[in-house]
């Protein structure tokens, strides 16, 4: 079975991280693309050799040549487009987070169950060699019993954060993104940890806007607990000094400590009584390729991809709990 994709959205993420992968995989191709901006849709279509382009999402979903949908729009429209596609009988692959709120995730899951049409979510780090190695190290037992997990992330403001309100990126507009940069970046960290240690069942947090550059939160502190009783904590700051830069998850065990980054892919560091070991792992140039391949082969009946909307929903629950949405 050939999987013929239609893209809803053709922004930055589709240029390198995801878009090219859909045409590399055997039995997979991109046949249509949609953007509300006609020039953007036409340009993307021409540059990437895609036969058709649209400015209306329903028209793309109704295209008889399209039998699967990739949603690469900001989170506030994920649920609407995913439900539109599933009700048309077409499987969905949607960018993370699954939606801009936990409640919208529940809507997506309900329609997926009602229609029997799968919805996959782009938590591609689950499938990257770098993070698979992290999992292997933990499974080896080299750091003993895991006692605590800590997330630490900090960075200075981006230049666009200083823009006038009407020119600010969607990632710091809560009505579009679900929150600020926390809602955009923390999902990758929290999803990975839940793959390693199980679902987070308790989460609380404090959020604030300390930099005053935009409306959304720019500083977050949180504590959480996994279903197996493992406690964890996180600290995020998106308005610090350049010297504050940090991208680190630290897993503390009875026999050692395992440290790794989520966005920078710094060498994995293993601290034990034998000393410090650095492990460098390379990822593919199109980082979503391993997951997209799994999705395509699942739709072809060859695999059983578990990176579904149902598995992605707990992350939105944690995000919303930390931000005090409910």
């Amino acid at each position: 079975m050939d999987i013929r994709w239609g893209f809803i959205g053709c922004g930055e993420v589709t240029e390198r991280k995801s878009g090219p992968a859909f045409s590399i995989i055997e039995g997979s191709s991109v046949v249509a693309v949609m953007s509300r901006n006609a020039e953007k849709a036409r340009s993307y279509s021409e540059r990437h050799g895609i036969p058709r382009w649209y400015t209306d999402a329903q028209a793309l979903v109704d295209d008889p040549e399209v039998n699967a949908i990739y949603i690469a729009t900001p989170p506030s429209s994920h649920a609407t487009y995913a439900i539109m596609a599933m009700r048309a009988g077409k499987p969905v692959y949607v960018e993370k987070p699954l939606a801009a709120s936990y409640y919208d995730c529940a809507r997506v899951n309900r329609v997926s169950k009602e229609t029997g049409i799968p919805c996959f979510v782009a938590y591609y780090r689950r499938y990257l060699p770098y993070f698979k190695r992290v999992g292997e190290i933990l499974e080896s037992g080299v750091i003993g019993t895991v006692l605590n997990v800590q997330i630490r992330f900090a960075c200075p403001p981006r230049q666009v954060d200083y823009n006038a309100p009407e020119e600010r990126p969607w990632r710091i507009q809560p009505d579009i993104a679900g929150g600020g940069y926390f809602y955009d970046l923390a999902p990758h960290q929290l999803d990975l940890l839940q793959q390693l240690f199980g679902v987070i069942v308790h989460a609380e947090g404090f959020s604030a806007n300390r930099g005053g550059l935009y409306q959304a939160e720019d500083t977050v502190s949180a504590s959480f607990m996994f279903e197996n009783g493992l406690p964890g904590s996180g600290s995020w700051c998106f308005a610090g000094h350049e010297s504050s830069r940090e991208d680190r998850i630290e897993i503390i065990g009875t026999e050692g400590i395992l440290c790794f980054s989520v966005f920078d892919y710094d060498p994995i560091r293993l601290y034990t009584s034998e000393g410090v070991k650095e492990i460098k792992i390379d990822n593919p140039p199109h980082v979503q390729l391993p997951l997209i391949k799994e999705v395509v082969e699942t739709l072809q009946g060859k695999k059983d991809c578990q990176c579904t909307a149902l598995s992605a929903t707990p992350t939105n629950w944690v995000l919303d709990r930390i931000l005090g949405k409910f």
Side-chain angles (χ1 to χ4, degrees):
M1 175 184 176
D2 289 335
I3 309 302
R4 301 182 301 277
W5 294 93
F7 287 5
I8 298 179
C10 51
E12 180 184 358
V13 69
T14 68
E15 292 288 351
R16 180 172 174 81
K17 287 184 177 181
S18 62
F22 289 91
S23 300
I24 293 173
I25 300 162
E26 184 178 355
S28 175
S29 61
V30 184
V31 300
V33 64
M34 172 267 167
S35 172
R36 290 180 297 176
N37 183 313
E39 177 55 30
K40 191 173 183 179
R42 182 196 61 77
S43 173
Y44 192 92
S45 171
E46 291 177 353
R47 286 185 292 107
H48 295 279
I50 299 172
R52 293 180 299 287
W53 58 270
Y54 297 94
T55 57
D56 178 74
Q58 189 68 63
L60 178 136
V61 168
D62 291 340
D63 185 331
E65 290 300 309
V66 171
N67 61 11
I69 305 294
Y70 170 40
I71 300 170
T73 60
S76 60
S77 59
H78 285 183
T80 297
Y81 290 142
I83 290 170
M84 180 189 297
M86 289 187 292
R87 292 210 181 280
K90 300 186 178 183
V92 178
Y93 177 72
V94 60
E95 276 300 324
K96 65 88 217 143
L98 172 56
S101 72
Y102 168 69
Y103 294 111
D104 274 351
C105 292
R107 290 173 54 218
V108 172
N109 287 318
R110 183 169 61 250
V111 173
S112 181
K113 182 177 181 180
E114 289 173 357
T115 61
I117 302 298
C119 177
F120 304 98
V121 183
Y123 280 119
Y124 58 87
R125 282 175 169 80
R126 297 186 193 181
Y127 291 78
L128 288 179
Y130 181 96
F131 300 107
K132 284 184 173 290
R133 185 71 178 109
V134 168
E136 290 166 359
I137 294 170
L138 285 173
E139 288 177 6
S140 75
V142 68
I143 69 166
T145 301
V146 176
L147 304 172
N148 190 265
V149 177
Q150 299 175 5
I151 303 171
R152 295 200 293 277
F153 186 90
C155 65
R158 295 157 171 81
Q159 191 57 45
V160 293
D161 297 346
Y162 297 96
N163 289 355
E166 65 274 11
E167 297 175 349
R168 288 173 185 161
W170 62 260
R171 287 179 173 83
I172 53 174
Q173 298 181 44
D175 58 331
I176 299 175
Y181 289 121
F182 171 76
Y183 219 89
D184 183 50
L185 298 177
H188 278 303
Q189 299 161 319
L190 294 167
D191 178 76
L192 278 170
L193 291 178
Q194 290 184 105
Q195 293 307 300
L196 294 172
F197 301 115
V199 173
I200 292 172
V201 294
H202 300 288
E204 301 290 342
F206 297 95
S207 60
N209 184 300
R210 301 292 293 168
L213 297 176
Y214 43 77
Q215 178 186 355
E217 76 289 338
D218 60 19
T219 303
V220 178
S221 293
S223 60
F224 43 85
M225 182 171 286
F226 297 88
E227 58 187 338
N228 63 2
L230 173 67
S233 62
S235 175
W236 296 263
C237 180
F238 304 96
H241 183 262
E242 175 64 34
S243 62
S244 71
R245 279 192 184 274
E246 187 170 24
D247 172 15
R248 182 181 178 93
I249 290 183
E250 191 171 283
I251 300 173
I252 301 171
T254 54
E255 305 296 329
I257 299 174
L258 179 63
C259 299
F260 60 97
S261 64
V262 173
F263 305 101
D264 295 336
Y265 305 117
D266 293 331
I268 300 165
R269 288 182 173 83
L270 178 62
Y271 301 82
T272 66
S273 57
E274 297 180 358
V276 182
K277 182 179 181 181
E278 287 196 351
I279 305 163
K280 188 177 185 301
I281 304 291
D282 293 325
N283 289 316
H286 308 301
V287 289
Q288 293 200 29
L289 176 61
L291 172 54
I292 293 171
K293 185 173 187 292
E294 185 91 356
V295 169
V296 168
E297 292 182 349
T298 296
L299 296 178
Q300 293 171 333
K302 302 174 184 177
K303 294 285 183 68
D304 183 21
C305 180
Q306 294 300 304
C307 202
T308 62
L310 196 60
S311 78
T313 296
T315 292
N316 275 83
W317 182 86
V318 176
L319 294 170
D320 287 3
R321 286 288 299 172
I322 290 173
L323 292 183
K325 288 188 176 183
F326 63 86

